[in-house]
Structure formats: structure tokens, C-alpha cells
Amino acid sequence: MKIGITCYPTYGGSGVVATELGIELAARGHEVHFISYAIPIRLTGASERIFFHEVEVTTYPLFDHPPYTLALATKMGEVAEQASLDLLHVHFAIPHSVSALLARMMAAPRRLPFITTLHGTDITLVGSDRSYLPITRFSIEQSDGVTAISNYLRDRTLKEFEIKRPIDVIPNFVNCDLYKKSDDAAARARWAPGGEPILMHLSNFRPVKRLTDVVEIFALVREKIPAKLVLIGDGPDRGAAEYIVRKKRLTKDVMFLGKQDRVHEKLGVADLFLLPSDEESFGLAALEAMACEVPVVATNVGGLPEVVTHGVDGYLFEPRDVHIAAKYALEILTRPDRGRMMGEMARTNARRRYCSNDIIPMYEAYYQKILNSAGSTARA
Ligand code: GMT
């Protein structure tokens, strides 16, 4: 098939999923065209079946806000025609599904079906804002296919947006061959020269991720045992977190790595992954850690209970209860046998439920279903 994929190219789960999906599809023989304003961050390495089309947004003094949605729709239409795309697959509804809807209308009478994959904040935060809700609902209803990355997100979308059409769940996935336990002794020695256990967090440091709680939890752990905290990512809450680190005199124990690629190599070194978000429709970073045999301490919110099984491959706690989170972290870190067992269970569960080898064929089947119902024939 020839598939056009649109996503946010910046640091964020939906862009990561879209990019990994494109890479996996290309590896399975499909032709993938990324259409966005910049190359997606994880789109590294070359494949002759992967193409990137940059959306350029022309500005003009009259435009306080350059109309990206329109430029994107135009580019989608152009690429669809030039590359004979079978379909468009957009990740994150706002504004990508609106652009795809316009592109489909402009392409008529040629059929250009589009699929919208809902990821989380497009529904839970941004989409339910009154200014975005009607257009988001409209573009979801107009999509030829709609998928959500967890049961939680599907149910919440159907309820809050009062959507009558079906939404299929195709969960997020991880490449289990790439994401696995690492024996990178150099990284371990660099981050924890005294052999201390390593706690890790990876996100875009937005307020919803509660980065400051990560530091608070670590501080409580550090009161009891020597330990190190490695923070991967960047974003608005970095300054607040750095302030707490300094105030609590933890600068020697906390490392801010900034945005990183090849995160599989870093995650596999950790002993524990922290994800104390206020809201999380899935929690891709938790799954990636689990595949690397790292047990997870995360909040009992949104789709996280679908990923992490409390007491088996990690622990779940109520948002902002840093004391109970620290207690769970210590439970794992002070009993290495327990930590190891939970880590093994984490990988087993990640492989069993969310391995890319099983999930990518679900997308392929879904594309075929949409193409069949849209009356087109896919080129194999
Ligand atoms: O806030 C983020 O983490 C970014 C956001 C996105 O769409 O870029 O992530 C959402 O999509 C991820 C990939 O499907 C999910 O794993 C995250 O749980 C989800 N984030 C939230 O729901 C807060």
C-alpha cells in the first residue's frame, strides 16, 4: 500500500507512534510518505520506501496565525496525487483530521480515504475545549476510519464527544527486538558510579506529566537509600524541576539529559521507571520501559491500568500521592529479587500484548478494511 502519514514531528507520544508505525510499515514493504512541517524526531535511518514531504506555511503581515491547517491540506492533496496514495493516516485529531477531510474533498472524484488515530490530549485536554470540540467531533465523524490507542480513550471519546460511529482500538506498540534489557556498563557507570539503583523518567515535561512529582518521589527514595535519577526529555516544567533539585540539594544525584534519540539504549539501563502523570491515555514510555525489563511505578489513570498490572509488573498509585509512590519504588529497589521478577513480568506482558509484530498487522488489516469499504483497491 501507499500510505500518507501526518503527525506532530516534535517530542511527544503521538509523533513517536506515527513514526514507528511508518518505519515498521516500510519494513513490511509498504511505501510511506510523511507529511508534516518538519522531519519527525524518531525518523532516523534511511529506507528507500520512506519519503518526507515538508509543509511550508507562507506567512503574510495580515496573518497573526499562519494557516497551517490549509497548507497541510494542500500538501496532502499534492502528495496523494503525485505518489498515488491509497489513503491518509493522521495522528492526533487537531488539526490533522480537518486537513485530511479537506484534502479528501479536494481530491474528489478520486477517492482518498483518511483514518484518524486519537492519542490522548487531542481528546482529553485540547479536544474538549469548547473552541475545538465541534470541529474535532465533525472531523472524527467524517473520517473513513477512527482508531484509539486504548479502550479508555475510545470509551471517553464516545461518551464526551457523543460520537455515534464506531471507534476501533489498536493499541500502541513497541519493537521488542529493539527495546530490551541493556548491558551498557558504560552508561551505568557514568550515571551511577557507586552502583546505585537508577530511576528514570522520559517525557515532554508538560505539566500533565508531573515532572516535579518525579523529583519529589526521588527525594523521598533518596532519604532512605543511595540512588540516581535520570531524566530524559525537555519541556515547560524543566525549570521547576531543576529548582526543586537544587533546593533539595540533589544536583549530584539527578541528571537532566535533555531530548535524546535511541531511547531504547537508555531505558534498558534503568532499575525503575516513574510516570506520575495526572492523565495518560496509554503511557507509551511506560510500555517502552517494560519491554526493557524495567518495572514501572505509574499513576492509576486513563489507559495506564491497561498497560501496567499493579503488583505484577509495577505499581499504580493515585495522582500526586508521592509518598505511596516512593514506598512502591523502595519496595522494588530494596528487594532486587522482587525488582528483577517484576522486570521480567514487565517484558513478558509487553511482548504478549503490545509487540509491533502483532500490532502492525492490525493496522494493515484496518487499512484494507477501509480501502474495501471506500471502494478502492490497494496496490500491494
Ligand atoms: O502528552 C503527551 O504525552 C503527548 C501526547 C501526544 O499525543 O503526543 O501523548 C499521548 O499519546 C501517546 C501516544 O499514543 C500516549 O502514550 C500518551 O498517553 C498520550 N498522552 C496523554 O494522554 C497525556
Side-chain angles (χ1 to χ4, degrees), residues 175-361:
N175 184 322
C176 303
D177 301 325
L178 202 59
Y179 284 75
K180 53 187 182 202
K181 189 146 196 65
S182 159
D183 44 18
D184 186 346
R188 182 162 264 289
R190 196 164 56 249
W191 295 331
E196 301 89 345
I198 297 173
L199 292 85
M200 203 172 273
H201 171 80
L202 156 69
S203 77
N204 47 33
F205 293 11
R206 292 197 196 124
V208 71
K209 300 293 177 185
R210 299 294 302 170
L211 182 68
T212 50
D213 285 0
V214 173
V215 178
E216 297 285 0
I217 295 164
F218 176 72
L220 291 167
V221 169
R222 186 66 193 80
E223 277 173 18
K224 303 280 182 203
I225 57 168
K228 300 286 179 183
L229 174 64
V230 175
L231 298 168
I232 304 176
D234 210 338
D237 276 1
R238 180 168 174 164
E242 283 174 335
Y243 174 75
I244 299 176
V245 168
R246 279 196 302 276
K247 207 171 81 177
K248 291 188 181 279
R249 300 182 190 285
L250 289 170
T251 40
K252 288 208 176 80
D253 293 326
V254 181
M255 280 138 281
F256 287 85
L257 302 192
K259 292 179 185 173
Q260 297 280 322
D261 51 16
R262 303 183 67 80
V263 291
H264 55 278
E265 291 169 358
K266 281 118 196 154
L267 284 170
V269 176
D271 297 294
L272 175 66
F273 188 81
L274 290 173
L275 195 60
S277 312
D278 268 342
E279 174 68 53
E280 205 66 71
S281 298
F282 185 91
L284 179 66
L287 172 62
E288 292 178 336
M290 288 168 66
C292 297
E293 286 185 43
V294 181
V296 172
V297 173
T299 36
N300 188 17
V301 294
L304 273 168
E306 294 174 44
V307 182
V308 179
T309 308
H310 181 72
V312 175
D313 47 26
Y315 288 109
L316 297 169
F317 66 97
E318 293 311 309
R320 306 191 181 199
D321 191 346
V322 293
H323 289 275
I324 191 83
K327 180 178 151 293
Y328 286 142
L330 283 162
E331 167 96 17
I332 291 170
L333 298 174
T334 57
R335 293 177 54 197
D337 53 329
R338 179 116 184 92
R340 204 162 30 248
M341 215 170 66
M342 281 190 143
E344 280 165 14
M345 280 310 294
R347 176 153 175 95
T348 303
N349 288 339
R351 281 184 74 125
R352 195 164 48 85
R353 297 192 292 225
Y354 300 116
C355 215
S356 52
N357 293 340
D358 299 317
I359 306 297
I360 305 303

Side-chain angles (χ1 to χ4, degrees), residues 57-67:
V57 191
T58 311
T59 192
Y60 178 69
L62 193 62
F63 298 159
D64 273 345
H65 308 284

